[in-house]
Amino acid sequence: MSLQVEKLEKNTAKLTIEVPAEQFDKAVKNAFNKNKSKFNIPGFRKGKAPFEMIKKMYGAAVFFEDAANEVIDASYPDAAKESELEIVSRPEIDVVEIGEGKNFVYTAVVAVKPEVTLGEYKGVEVEKAKAEVTDEDVEAEINSVREKNSRLITVEDRGIENGDMVTIDFDGYVDGKRFEGGKSEDYPLTIGSHTFIDTFEDQLIGKKAGEECEVNVTFPAEYHVDELKNKPALFKVTVKEIQKKELPEVNDEFASEVSDFDTLEEYRNDLKEKLLKEKQTAAATENENRVVDKVVENATMEIPDQMIDEQVAGMVNDYARRLESQGISFKQYSEITGMTADKIAEQMRPNAIKRIQTRLVLEAVVKAENIQASDEAVEAQFDKMAETYKMEKEKIKEMFGEDQIAMMKEDLAVQEAIDFLVAEAKLTD
């Protein structure tokens, strides 16, 4: 194998890789052995026709794609290593020359890790995030607990009010005809939640249990079903049940039921302490973000498009996996929201760029300050993992090879770089 490396603009490079003819011819024979059962040749049982016969009838090129893939898979990793480039993207492959008895030549265009020029990174000045707990914060938390401990009471002596939980049947019509998805029975709806389009919920206010009514609405222009966009619709609605939410009173009894304290005052004080700890943790994270953002802002780099594209693709895939873990396929999500993979990717692109910039800058700080993760830090990380996954530490360590431990050390060094930057920063009130 021979290799030529050509540096291109914007931190990309082209590798031209030439593989000897005998290696490609061997891959062609391998492709023949793999695919020969697919060919029907008169006079031969299926899969028994010799290579030369198939080549004569179909041409050797019928095996070239599989052969090329085999040769590329075998040669590219060695070529990438020999290039001594810090490659950060999958290769864009283009076959230059292919044929029996010929050297196989292809190119691989790759993104190369950009060089970062750090600006000011020690002692950057940012506004300090504050961690304060007000009486309003405590009341909001108490009201949240009240909501969780509320109960529903069936209402029979009045009409629907804002905030009520109602059960309804509805049947929708557009242009006088029923439309798909416009009919449901025993549908639970919270009035004021704006779950339904337009003024649907508002028009139910005042209606009583057992009452039938008509609701007129217009589908929004951005509605996910094209046939319904901007269309006026009529819904025939039957109110089957009205329930109101009853919240517990805030007193000592309430405090004893929802906490380990006997009095409301003790409960409030405990809530205030917990909220303060939460806000302090959030403020510390915000301070880290502000300092790192400032250091990134002061740095310069040129990120190759391929690197961004791969980061975006990874984020979209992660998003799809999270949806699936919630029982929603990406296809279903797209149909419901009208958000295609391309639209989601477009929205995620700015965040992808920020992630790349942040990582590159922090790695540059690691290098500039010669930060290295200690063996003790690695052991502490394994301790955390053992606690998180409820596994023996040694069992977890057995799952990690040298490459995985090296990556762990890189991540720990990056976190140490963040700690270093925050310690050096000037946090102003």
Side-chain angles (χ1 to χ4, degrees), residues 188-235:
L189 176 64
T190 301
I191 304 301
S193 65
H194 304 294
T195 304
F196 276 23
I197 60 169
D198 204 7
T199 59
F200 187 102
E201 295 166 29
D202 297 337
Q203 294 179 56
L204 294 181
I205 290 178
K207 304 296 185 291
K208 295 183 177 180
E211 188 173 344
E212 296 179 359
C213 62
E214 292 185 352
V215 173
N216 291 282
V217 294
T218 300
F219 283 96
E222 65 276 10
Y223 197 67
H224 64 274
V225 179
D226 290 338
E227 294 76 16
L228 299 178
K229 290 179 178 178
N230 289 316
K231 284 280 191 177
L234 167 69
F235 284 88

Side-chain angles (χ1 to χ4, degrees), residues 124-128 287 290-291 294 425-429:
V124 295
E125 187 172 320
V126 297
E127 184 180 352
K128 184 178 181 180
N287 286 332
R290 291 179 183 182
V291 170
K294 188 67 176 177
K426 299 171 184 174
L427 303 178
T428 60
D429 291 325

Side-chain angles (χ1 to χ4, degrees), residues 158-394:
R158 65 165 174 80
I160 295 172
E161 294 180 359
N162 200 36
D164 284 345
M165 301 276 291
V166 300
T167 303
I168 60 173
D169 293 344
F170 60 84
D171 194 5
Y173 297 80
V174 168
D175 296 330
K177 297 178 181 178
R178 283 193 177 99
F179 61 90
E180 187 176 350
K183 182 179 174 64
S184 184
E185 295 182 354
D186 296 326
Y187 190 93
L189 176 64
T190 301
I191 304 301
S193 65
H194 304 294
T195 304
F196 276 23
I197 60 169
D198 204 7
T199 59
F200 187 102
E201 295 166 29
D202 297 337
Q203 294 179 56
L204 294 181
I205 290 178
K207 304 296 185 291
K208 295 183 177 180
E211 188 173 344
E212 296 179 359
C213 62
E214 292 185 352
V215 173
N216 291 282
V217 294
T218 300
F219 283 96
E222 65 276 10
Y223 197 67
H224 64 274
V225 179
D226 290 338
E227 294 76 16
L228 299 178
K229 290 179 178 178
N230 289 316
K231 284 280 191 177
L234 167 69
F235 284 88
K236 296 180 179 180
V237 180
T238 301
V239 179
K240 302 183 79 171
E241 185 179 35
I242 305 171
Q243 293 180 306
K244 69 175 181 179
K245 192 181 290 184
E246 186 177 83
L247 302 177
E249 289 186 34
V250 181
N251 50 30
D252 289 345
E253 183 181 354
F254 166 74
S256 65
E257 288 178 354
V258 300
S259 73
D260 295 329
F261 302 98
D262 294 326
T263 67
L264 181 60
E265 183 179 1
E266 290 175 306
Y267 178 49
R268 284 185 191 275
N269 291 336
D270 181 66
L271 278 181
K272 191 168 187 175
E273 286 182 19
K274 288 178 179 175
L275 288 171
L276 182 59
K277 287 180 182 177
E278 290 175 6
K279 290 207 171 190
Q280 286 171 338
T281 300
T285 300
E286 179 60 23
N287 286 332
E288 284 185 1
N289 292 338
R290 291 179 183 182
V291 170
V292 171
D293 286 348
K294 188 67 176 177
V295 174
V296 171
E297 182 185 323
N298 293 341
T300 56
M301 72 207 82
E302 190 174 25
I303 304 172
D305 291 335
Q306 297 95 318
M307 192 176 186
I308 299 171
D309 292 341
E310 290 206 12
Q311 179 72 41
V312 171
M315 291 167 66
V316 172
N317 288 336
D318 287 344
Y319 189 66
R321 280 193 288 269
R322 288 199 299 274
L323 287 173
E324 287 171 4
S325 70
Q326 297 168 22
I328 306 171
S329 72
F330 192 82
K331 183 180 179 183
Q332 290 171 323
Y333 175 79
S334 295
E335 290 172 350
I336 294 168
T337 64
M339 290 294 291
T340 64
D342 287 343
K343 286 181 181 178
I344 293 172
E346 185 180 346
Q347 287 185 354
M348 289 183 170
R349 194 171 182 84
N351 192 31
I353 293 171
K354 184 176 180 180
R355 285 190 188 185
I356 295 169
Q357 290 173 329
T358 300
R359 181 72 185 198
L360 290 173
V361 168
L362 291 173
E363 287 176 355
V365 172
V366 167
K367 185 176 180 181
E369 295 296 324
N370 193 28
I371 297 172
Q372 295 179 357
S374 65
D375 292 337
E376 290 78 12
V378 172
E379 289 300 313
Q381 186 67 12
F382 278 125
D383 287 334
K384 277 186 187 178
M385 294 172 72
E387 175 64 26
T388 300
Y389 298 108
K390 308 300 180 189
M391 291 176 63
E392 292 181 18
K393 179 178 173 180
E394 293 306 315

Side-chain angles (χ1 to χ4, degrees), residues 22-80:
E22 55 267 24
Q23 188 174 337
F24 180 73
D25 290 344
K26 182 180 178 182
V28 170
K29 291 289 180 65
N30 291 341
F32 158 71
N33 290 325
K34 177 182 174 184
N35 295 289
K36 60 185 179 181
S37 62
K38 299 176 183 177
F39 296 92
N40 285 314
I41 306 296
F44 296 91
R45 282 184 296 150
K46 195 171 183 180
K48 297 299 182 180
F51 174 70
E52 293 300 329
M53 184 63 71
I54 294 177
K55 187 168 71 170
K56 184 177 180 180
M57 291 194 67
Y58 294 95
V62 74
F63 300 117
F64 282 1
E65 183 177 351
D66 283 350
N69 288 335
E70 178 183 323
V71 172
I72 291 168
D73 289 345
S75 60
Y76 174 73
D78 291 335

Side-chain angles (χ1 to χ4, degrees), residues 378 381-382 385-386 389 391 393-409 411:
V378 172
Q381 186 67 12
F382 278 125
M385 294 172 72
Y389 298 108
M391 291 176 63
K393 179 178 173 180
E394 293 306 315
K395 291 285 185 185
I396 293 178
K397 291 175 78 170
E398 288 172 7
M399 298 164 62
F400 278 70
E402 290 183 8
D403 290 344
Q404 286 78 22
I405 290 177
M407 288 175 63
M408 180 192 290
K409 286 186 174 181
D411 291 341

